[in-house]
Structures are given as C-alpha cells and as structure tokens.
C-alpha cells in the first residue's frame, strides 16, 4: 500500500505533512511549524507517531518539534548533519544517499543545499518532500548557500521522474507565477498554469502538490535553458548570461526585487 499523505495548512502559508504507512500504522511529520491538528489526526487514524522528518532548521519548519517530543516520547528526529544543534531534538543526523524508513516505506535522503547549508529532501518513491528548495512555480531564497549550490540542487530535483509529486512547504504558487510570467511571457504552458492557479486560490484550493514535469515546463527557476530566459538574462547582465548557474542567479535576484 502506498504512503498516505495528509496536507495540513498552518500559519499564514505553510504546509505541514502527516505521512503514514497505514498498514503498519506508523506515521511521521514533515516540516510542521506547530502541532495543530496532528494529535487529533493520529488518534482518529489510530496511527503511532514514530518520527519527524525535518528538511531544514528554520523555525516555521521545526516549531512543532518540542511539543511533539513532549507528547510522544522516543521520536526519531531527522535532519541533515550540518544542522546539528539547529534542529530541536535532532537525534538522527543524515546525509545525502542515506535512507529512512516509515513502516514498510523507505525514503532516500537528497542533500539539496542553497536555501540553507543543511537542506535535505525526502524521496518516498514518487513523492518528494522538498521543503523550501523547490516551490510550485518557484524556489527558496539563498539565505545560506550560493547560486551554484542551488542550481545544482534544483538540477538534481529536475532530473527525477516527471510524474514525481512535489510536496513543498509553502503556498507561494500564485505570487511565484505572477513573477514568472514577466520573465517568460511567451511560455503558453506557464500562462495557462497561472490562470488555473489564480482560479484555485480564489476558491481556496491548494496548488500543492505539483509534479516535476509541470515544474520543468513552467517554473522559471528550472528553465535556465529557455531561449526567452537566456535573452532576458543577456539584457540584464551580458557578462553572466552564458553560464546556466549564473542565469539562475540573475532570475533569483530579479525575483528578490519583484
């Protein structure tokens, strides 16, 4: 049986995830800023909380840790080894290529720095929990890493199968695409997605998850080889436009000022 995923809107625009192997009755939390409905859902589903999978150390991703540790003693708290001392309760440091288990389900740990120096993603088969590295229609700011690191991390995620579902940690899609259409106005798939997302948000419908295939078609932070984006970068910074990582950096700076 496949992983069961419950998407939990929290705070203003965060998504936390309660994931489970329902046959084994084992559950884990991904990137929760607060416990919220998690205890209620665990009781309702009769699941045992076994672990917290943190993608990085920011407070809006680890805020629930302290209270969940208090409520459910013995939890395994995962995070990248670079975040030792920065993730509350972390007792299972991991690195790229490690695997983590939840019941009969196994996830591969992908080290994807850029947003932070210790950012990781968890890939459970066709479901990838990417934190703030890749957003629907966007990507995270470069708080601790470099454009070269982030370009490499995004390239790695873009190489996953197109049908992979992308579970990011924020509902930023509409604002991301509002920017994107100014960078690649000739992209018809992007224009159609922007209109669809606007309709979804008007109705209060989540725009997450997306897929890797959809992101490659419409996310300007993955489209550094688009002729339209190359030309925009050449206009912005002729000296940097020849290098894909530098083109990514140009687009990221334009977004930061948008």
């Amino acid at each position: 049986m496949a992983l069961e995923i419950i998407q939990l809107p929290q705070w203003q625009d965060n998504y936390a995830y309660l994931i489970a192997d329902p046959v084994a009755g084992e559950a884990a939390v991904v990137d929760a800023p607060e416990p919220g409905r998690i205890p209620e859902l665990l009781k309702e589903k009769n699941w045992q909380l076994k672990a917290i999978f943190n993608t990085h150390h920011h407070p809006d991703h680890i805020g629930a840790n302290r209270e969940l540790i208090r409520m459910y003693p013995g939890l395994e708290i995962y995070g990248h080894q670079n975040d030792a001392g920065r993730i509350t309760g972390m007792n299972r440091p991991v690195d790229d290529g490690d695997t983590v288990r939840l019941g009969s389900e196994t996830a591969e740990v992908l080290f994807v720095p850029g947003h932070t120096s210790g950012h990781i993603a968890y890939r459970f088969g066709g479901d990838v929990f990417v934190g703030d590295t890749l957003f629907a229609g966007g990507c995270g700011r470069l708080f601790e890493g470099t454009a070269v690191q982030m370009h490499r991390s995004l390239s790695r995620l873009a190489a996953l199968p197109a049908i992979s579902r992308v579970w990011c940690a924020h509902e930023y899609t509409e604002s991301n695409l509002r920017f994107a259409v100014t960078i690649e106005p000739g992209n018809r798939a992007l224009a159609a997605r922007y209109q669809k997302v606007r309709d979804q948000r008007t109705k209060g419908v989540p725009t997450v998850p997306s897929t890797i295939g959809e992101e490659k078609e419409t996310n300007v932070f993955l489209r550094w080889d688009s002729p339209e984006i190359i030309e925009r970068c050449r206009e912005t910074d002729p000296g940097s436009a020849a290098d894909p990582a530098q083109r990514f950096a140009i687009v990221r700076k334009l977004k930061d000022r948008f």
Side-chain angles (χ1 to χ4, degrees), residues 43 45 95 97 230:
K43 185 175 181 179
K45 294 282 192 177
D95 198 2
I230 291 172

Side-chain angles (χ1 to χ4, degrees), residues 180 183-185 187 190 218-236 241 247-248 250-251 254:
I183 299 298
E184 198 180 14
N187 185 334
L190 169 56
T218 59
N219 187 328
V220 294
F221 294 102
L222 299 182
R223 294 181 56 75
W224 44 76
D225 290 333
S226 157
E228 194 169 16
I229 292 178
I230 291 172
E231 182 56 32
R232 177 63 184 273
C233 291
R234 186 176 293 119
E235 294 169 357
T236 304
R247 292 198 294 272
F248 162 77
I250 291 169
V251 176
L254 289 171

Side-chain angles (χ1 to χ4, degrees), residues 53-69:
F53 298 132
N54 298 120
T55 62
H56 63 295
H57 71 88
H58 284 163
D60 61 330
H61 295 256
I62 68 168
N65 287 22
R66 189 178 305 279
E67 184 65 13
L68 291 176
I69 289 167

Side-chain angles (χ1 to χ4, degrees), residues 188-230:
R188 293 183 179 180
L190 169 56
R193 184 184 186 189
Y194 181 39
Q195 184 57 55
K196 177 183 176 183
V197 162
R198 292 177 68 186
D199 293 343
Q200 286 176 295
R201 295 312 298 155
T202 298
K203 299 171 184 175
V205 175
T207 64
V208 177
S210 59
T211 67
I212 289 294
E214 184 175 31
E215 296 307 318
K216 289 170 71 174
E217 287 185 346
T218 59
N219 187 328
V220 294
F221 294 102
L222 299 182
R223 294 181 56 75
W224 44 76
D225 290 333
S226 157
E228 194 169 16
I229 292 178
I230 291 172

Side-chain angles (χ1 to χ4, degrees), residues 133-229:
T133 294
L134 177 63
F135 293 133
C139 75
R141 289 177 180 265
L142 305 180
F143 286 126
E144 297 176 4
T146 67
V148 171
Q149 283 180 314
M150 191 63 138
H151 175 262
R152 187 181 302 122
S153 295
L154 291 172
S155 297
R156 188 172 187 191
L157 293 173
L160 296 175
I163 61 172
S164 301
R165 292 193 295 180
V166 177
W167 300 91
C168 65
H170 289 278
E171 182 57 69
Y172 290 164
T173 318
E174 185 175 2
S175 61
N176 285 337
L177 297 183
R178 186 183 309 120
F179 164 74
V181 295
T182 71
I183 299 298
E184 198 180 14
N187 185 334
R188 293 183 179 180
L190 169 56
R193 184 184 186 189
Y194 181 39
Q195 184 57 55
K196 177 183 176 183
V197 162
R198 292 177 68 186
D199 293 343
Q200 286 176 295
R201 295 312 298 155
T202 298
K203 299 171 184 175
V205 175
T207 64
V208 177
S210 59
T211 67
I212 289 294
E214 184 175 31
E215 296 307 318
K216 289 170 71 174
E217 287 185 346
T218 59
N219 187 328
V220 294
F221 294 102
L222 299 182
R223 294 181 56 75
W224 44 76
D225 290 333
S226 157
E228 194 169 16
I229 292 178

Side-chain angles (χ1 to χ4, degrees), residues 95-113:
D95 198 2
D96 188 62
D98 288 343
T99 57
V100 299
R101 294 190 64 84
L102 180 63
S104 63
E105 301 293 324
T106 302
E108 177 188 6
V109 174
L110 306 176
F111 183 41
V112 284

